[in-house]
Amino acid sequence: MTNDILKYLREKEYISGEVLAKKLGVSRVAIWKQIQRLKNMGYKIIADQNIGYCLISRPDLLLPQEIQNGLSTNYIGRKIYYFSKLESTNIIAKEKATHKEEGVNEGTIVIAERQSAGKGRLGRKWFSPTGGIWLSIILYPQLSPSYIPRITLMTAVAVVKAIERCAQIKGQIKWPNDILINEKKVCGILTEMSAELDLINWVVVGIGINVEIKKQEFPEDIREKTTSLKEALRKEISRVRLVQIFLKEFERYYELLKKREISLILKEWKSYSHTLGKKIKINIGENIVTGEAIDINEEGALILKKGDGELIEIISGTII
Ligand code: BTN
């Protein structure tokens, strides 16, 4: 019911408890209770005895009703599980996907204000205080597991596009899944899945964007190579708006991927690439290979030209 009350509060400057109660078919006391709930969430609502309630300001939180108000996707983010704090949105999303909880459909999201045990790639920790966007998207694509690297690539494209639209700054994608601004990491993507031999059961795409985190807040070991949008831009970015734009971009590219139309995604990826054309060292399991990153292929693998001219395809690894 709080969602409906918010909708009416947004529409009018003042609306009386009586009118709200009539519209929603409940008592005035029930309305009053919901108004107190909204106030506890951080909404500033004033009440005038004669003319009713007036919404003064909204909290800067990633609340489902805030994200969904103005969200123009068809299915991504239509169901949102919100937590002010949890271990990791990927862990919760994986649990929900594994147990096929009711209502957990394609595009369901788990989002948190902060994570106590945020997960990075390769078993690393992901620093997730308040001020970031920590979210996981649950997907059930009818695709083979070989599409997983392409899902990560398209997510990276959706993130840079969203940052560009929302903050007017062009980020870069460091293969396979880091987003950089001014050479520093601002976002990481962790894609996890469960699959049979030739079909994906579910995918959880975890996205972490540093939005409003001060340089000195970052742990020392990552401080010099990490940034946040606020640090890079020196201006406030609405996290809710960034999430809304990102979800829209994500749905657009994910639709293309499901139709196996990968060429536009690759073209976009290349136009934002930080990696192509550079001499790099990549850690692939036990080995380190060196060469020039010359291209990315249809499968999302990086094509590396070694010193002796040999071309190798790398599907997963970390640039060092
Ligand atoms: C990386 O670059 O190492 C990937 C980082 C991914 C972090 C995000 S934050 C939301 C989601 N939940 C997690 O625990 N991890 C991902």
Side-chain angles (χ1 to χ4, degrees):
M1 183 167 41
T2 46
N3 267 354
D4 296 320
I5 294 182
L6 273 175
K7 193 180 112 220
Y8 290 120
L9 285 175
R10 283 194 190 103
E11 275 171 10
K12 285 201 159 124
E13 207 175 333
Y14 275 94
I15 185 160
S16 73
E18 198 180 333
V19 172
L20 277 172
K22 243 195 209 140
K23 282 191 188 282
L24 299 175
V26 296
S27 68
R28 278 171 64 177
V29 176
I31 296 290
W32 181 84
K33 279 190 184 152
Q34 293 303 320
I35 295 277
Q36 299 316 307
R37 240 189 100 199
L38 286 168
K39 282 184 176 174
N40 289 338
M41 284 180 192
Y43 288 88
K44 226 175 178 180
I45 299 167
I46 52 165
D48 181 292
Q49 261 195 341
N50 301 318
I51 39 182
Y53 298 109
C54 173
L55 177 64
I56 300 288
S57 69
R58 301 176 293 179
D60 178 33
L61 295 175
L62 299 168
L63 294 165
Q65 60 264 30
E66 292 301 321
I67 294 172
Q68 283 168 343
N69 174 39
L71 181 67
S72 57
T73 56
N74 290 319
Y75 56 93
I76 303 287
R78 288 285 144 206
K79 169 123 189 130
I80 301 178
Y81 290 92
Y82 169 83
F83 296 83
S84 45
K85 183 185 169 189
L86 48 46
E87 251 184 299
S88 148
T89 56
N90 264 39
I91 294 179
I92 299 293
K94 282 194 294 180
E95 269 171 29
K96 292 192 181 297
T98 309
H99 301 123
K100 279 230 158 194
E101 270 180 37
E102 217 189 302
V104 178
N105 301 318
E106 171 107 314
T108 294
I109 278 174
V110 179
I111 195 161
E113 299 294 344
R114 63 192 167 111
Q115 302 183 112
S116 57
K119 296 191 341 161
R121 283 180 73 222
L122 309 168
R124 296 192 192 114
K125 283 190 189 146
W126 180 260
F127 179 62
S128 329
T130 49
I133 293 171
W134 324 123
L135 79 87
S136 301
I137 307 177
I138 299 170
L139 304 169
Y140 301 101
Q142 301 263 306
L143 295 169
S144 93
S146 66
Y147 271 81
I148 292 295
R150 282 170 267 200
I151 293 181
T152 305
L153 291 188
M154 59 130 290
T155 304
V157 172
V159 174
V160 271
K161 281 270 171 194
I163 290 178
E164 192 168 6
R165 276 181 59 194
C166 191
Q168 287 82 45
I169 188 162
K170 197 166 172 183
Q172 288 192 298
I173 308 172
K174 182 172 157 196
W175 184 87
N177 58 356
D178 290 351
I179 311 296
L180 310 182
I181 288 183
N182 305 334
E183 303 287 320
K184 294 180 180 195
K185 182 160 168 171
V186 75
C187 164
I189 298 161
L190 176 66
T191 309
E192 300 186 86
M193 65 150 179
S194 147
E196 305 298 322
L197 210 56
D198 54 359
L199 198 65
I200 292 172
N201 293 325
W202 52 256
V203 180
V204 165
V205 187
I207 300 108
I209 310 177
N210 303 328
V211 182
E212 209 162 303
I213 303 172
K214 292 200 183 82
K215 184 172 176 176
Q216 57 275 23
E217 280 182 69
F218 287 109
E220 238 175 83
D221 55 328
I222 58 166
R223 194 171 297 157
E224 289 315 314
K225 43 186 189 204
T226 310
T227 192
S228 71
L229 289 176
K230 180 130 186 232
E231 281 291 324
L233 294 159
R234 300 268 157 217
K235 68 173 184 192
E236 307 271 319
I237 298 290
S238 157
R239 290 184 308 150
V240 168
R241 201 171 116 71
L242 181 54
V243 170
Q244 289 170 334
I245 296 177
F246 163 68
L247 297 179
K248 182 74 183 164
E249 292 290 344
F250 185 93
E251 187 172 279
R252 186 159 85 90
Y253 289 108
Y254 181 54
E255 277 299 302
L256 288 176
L257 186 84
K258 282 198 287 189
K259 288 189 236 149
R260 294 164 175 76
E261 288 173 22
I262 188 82
S263 56
L264 178 69
I265 299 171
L266 284 182
K267 196 171 150 220
E268 297 276 22
W269 192 94
K270 288 178 193 178
S271 77
Y272 289 98
S273 170
H274 178 266
T275 308
L276 297 185
K278 288 210 171 80
K279 280 240 155 64
I280 52 170
K281 259 188 191 171
I282 306 189
N283 198 335
I284 36 175
E286 302 284 279
N287 303 318
I288 291 176
V289 283
T290 308
E292 187 189 342
I294 59 166
D295 204 359
I296 181 138
N297 72 11
E298 291 274 310
E299 274 86 54
L302 189 70
I303 314 291
L304 200 74
K305 188 177 181 183
K306 295 208 310 193
D308 57 7
E310 187 197 350
L311 298 182
I312 53 168
E313 287 180 10
I314 303 174
I315 201 77
S316 145
T318 306
I319 298 179
I320 46 178

